[in-house]
Structures are given as C-alpha cells and as structure tokens.
Amino acid sequence: MLGRFFNHQKETQAVDVKTDVPVHVAVIMDGNGRWALKRGLPRNIGHREGMKTIHSITESANDIGVQVLTLFAFSSENWLRPKTEIDFILRLPERFLSSELPKLQANNVQVRVMGAVEDLPSHTKKAVETVMHETADNDGIILNLALNYGGRSDIVQALKLLGSDIEQGRCQIEDITEDMISDKLYTSDFPDPDLLIRTSGEIRLSNFMLWQMAYSEFWFTDVLWPDFSTEDFAEAISVFQQRKRRYGGV
Ligand code: IPE
Ligand code: IPE
Ligand code: MG
C-alpha cells in the first residue's frame, strides 16, 4: 500500500471511537438507465447524464478530504447488455477525457483505472491510458475508475499472480497471508473502502470489490445516479460518521 494514506482501519480499531472522514469511498453508480426511461429517453442519455455526476461528486469528495474515490463504471457482467449500449458506455472515457481533463488538472485529481483493461476496445484503452498519464503527477484525490471490473475476477487474477510467485520459488504455500492476497488485487495501492454507496435502490454488491469490502460500511439510497447530488453525498458521509466500526471487537 502506498505510504500516502492514513491507515484508517488501524487508527479506528478502538471501540467507541467515532470514525472521521472516510479515506476510501467506493460507489456503485446505478440507475442511469431508469433515469432516462422515466423521462421517455434512451438509456444512453442516462449514461451521459451520469458522467456529470462523476464530476460533481469527485469535487465534493475532494473538498471533504476523501483520499480515494472508486467508482464502478462498467462491470465484467455488463457485456451482457445490448451492443449499442456497451459501445456507448465504452466511448464515455473519451468524452470524459476531452471534457474533464482541464478540471481534473485544476483540482489536482489523479485518475487510476482498475479491471481487465486489456480486454477493452483500443479506443477506450487509449483514453484511459492518456488520462492516467496526464494526471499521474497530481497528488490530490485519487479517482479510481473500475472498468471491466469484477470482484471475483479480481481475486482470480490475484491468485494467478500468487501462483506464479509460488511456481518461481518466490514464496511458499504455507507462508500465504491475507496481506499477500491484498497486495495482488487491483487495489493493492489503496486501503480497503471505508464506505460503499450504492444508488438506485438496489441492495446488492453486484460483484464489486468482494475481498476489499470485508469491513466496509454500506449506505444505500433510492436516488438514481444522474440525480445523486453533493447533498446526498454529504448525507452518506455524515451517516458514516455516526457508525461505530468494531471489526469484530466488542
Ligand atoms: C449504471 O446504470 C451504469 C452501468 C451499469 C454502466 P444502469 O445502466 O445499470 O442503470 P439501470 O440500473 O438500468 O437503471
Ligand atoms: C453494477 O450495476 C455495475 C455498475 C454500476 C457499473 P448493474 O446495474 O450492472 O448491476 P445489476 O445487474 O443490477 O446487479
Ligand atoms: Mg443497473
């Protein structure tokens, strides 16, 4: 894990200590399609609107002092959608790059991407590589976009890396620890999410960060992602701050 983060989990292990600002917030941005359908519009318009929310929530998270904001943008199961919708979603990183890059720079945001990026179309890959490269030296909030991401496949790719270490004699099976698995996940640079937000009223994980959410606090809202406001985000943070995290203690 990078030295730049506070290890919130360790700092807040004492019982009854009110947690402060979450270091890492993860969001399942859901409800774009329903937002559009409610207005008699094509689903893709919902995805376009949802991109505006990404901008406002990143700014808000930055202002609040969140250090990592991970957004679920495209899951490894979203390939099941109609091709026209997939194509539209996978063009969004290019739009994001052209419309958001100056603002990301001005706000000192570092963009990262996690998931099976190698399987994305080359135009999507190019856009995400460019935005990561252009923002690599920024040391403000990390905007971590989960693209072609699945929690189970994250664990599978981690186990393959670990298996290769064993095969090469770099470690022994009996020496495997939880930290060694965490260090092979896409999120190896970040602390586990303190808070998970899911919009649109669905109460499930949909294969998001399964390993990493062992002790995350969950907050759900019926608000659809394109309508999700900075006030809604502030409410989630405030609810988080009332929670008592016990990590199995009393
Ligand atoms: C979330 O919105 C965005 C992606 C999954 C890419 P949806 O497209 O899932 O919207 P609903 O859930 O159908 O309303
Ligand atoms: C989860 O939302 C994936 C993203 C937000 C990118 P989905 O809309 O794909 O999840 P399900 O299908 O309702 O579980
Ligand atoms: Mg959905």
Side-chain angles (χ1 to χ4, degrees), residues 29-34 43 47 73 78 81 85 89:
M29 311 183 285
D30 201 8
N32 291 348
R34 277 166 283 167
R43 291 176 54 85
H47 296 309
N78 287 147
R81 296 186 179 206
E85 182 169 343
I89 295 171

Side-chain angles (χ1 to χ4, degrees), residues 129-149:
E129 276 158 15
T130 306
V131 73
M132 282 197 292
H133 176 77
E134 295 290 329
T135 62
D137 293 333
N138 294 345
D139 58 5
I141 190 171
I142 292 175
L143 174 60
N144 181 36
L145 300 172
L147 260 182
N148 198 16
Y149 177 86

Side-chain angles (χ1 to χ4, degrees), residues 1-8 23 67-68 142 189-191:
M1 190 193 296
L2 292 181
R4 63 183 282 193
F5 304 108
F6 301 108
N7 195 335
H8 206 67
V23 174
Q67 296 175 59
V68 185
I142 292 175
D189 285 346
F190 313 132

Side-chain angles (χ1 to χ4, degrees), residues 198-215:
R198 183 169 189 153
T199 59
S200 90
E202 309 299 353
I203 315 290
R204 55 177 171 258
L205 278 180
S206 299
N207 196 20
F208 194 36
M209 300 176 90
L210 300 175
W211 173 279
Q212 297 89 334
M213 297 229 189
Y215 270 104

Side-chain angles (χ1 to χ4, degrees), residues 68-213:
V68 185
L69 178 67
T70 294
L71 302 179
F72 205 4
F74 188 81
S75 81
S76 48
E77 288 74 38
N78 287 147
W79 296 105
L80 294 170
R81 296 186 179 206
K83 187 176 180 306
T84 48
E85 182 169 343
I86 296 171
D87 288 347
F88 188 89
I89 295 171
L90 296 181
R91 287 274 171 199
L92 290 175
E94 285 149 274
R95 284 180 185 239
F96 186 73
L97 178 65
S98 58
S99 69
E100 299 298 312
L101 188 58
K103 285 175 253 170
L104 294 168
Q105 300 292 34
N107 291 324
N108 199 21
V109 178
Q110 186 186 109
V111 179
R112 302 275 291 265
V113 173
M114 69 168 185
V117 177
E118 62 281 4
D119 297 331
L120 291 170
S122 55
H123 61 85
T124 314
K125 257 189 297 200
K126 192 160 169 254
V128 301
E129 276 158 15
T130 306
V131 73
M132 282 197 292
H133 176 77
E134 295 290 329
T135 62
D137 293 333
N138 294 345
D139 58 5
I141 190 171
I142 292 175
L143 174 60
N144 181 36
L145 300 172
L147 260 182
N148 198 16
Y149 177 86
R152 287 184 173 180
S153 65
D154 192 359
I155 295 168
V156 168
Q157 66 82 33
L159 294 182
K160 283 182 181 167
L161 293 171
L162 206 50
S164 150
D165 281 354
I166 293 165
E167 206 170 62
Q168 308 287 316
R170 287 191 289 269
C171 84
Q172 305 290 315
I173 291 176
E174 51 278 15
D175 296 334
I176 295 174
T177 62
E178 292 184 7
D179 281 347
M180 285 164 74
I181 294 175
S182 295
D183 286 346
K184 302 290 190 199
L185 294 171
Y186 289 125
T187 46
S188 59
D189 285 346
F190 313 132
D192 288 341
D194 300 290
L195 170 64
L196 167 76
I197 296 172
R198 183 169 189 153
T199 59
S200 90
E202 309 299 353
I203 315 290
R204 55 177 171 258
L205 278 180
S206 299
N207 196 20
F208 194 36
M209 300 176 90
L210 300 175
W211 173 279
Q212 297 89 334
M213 297 229 189

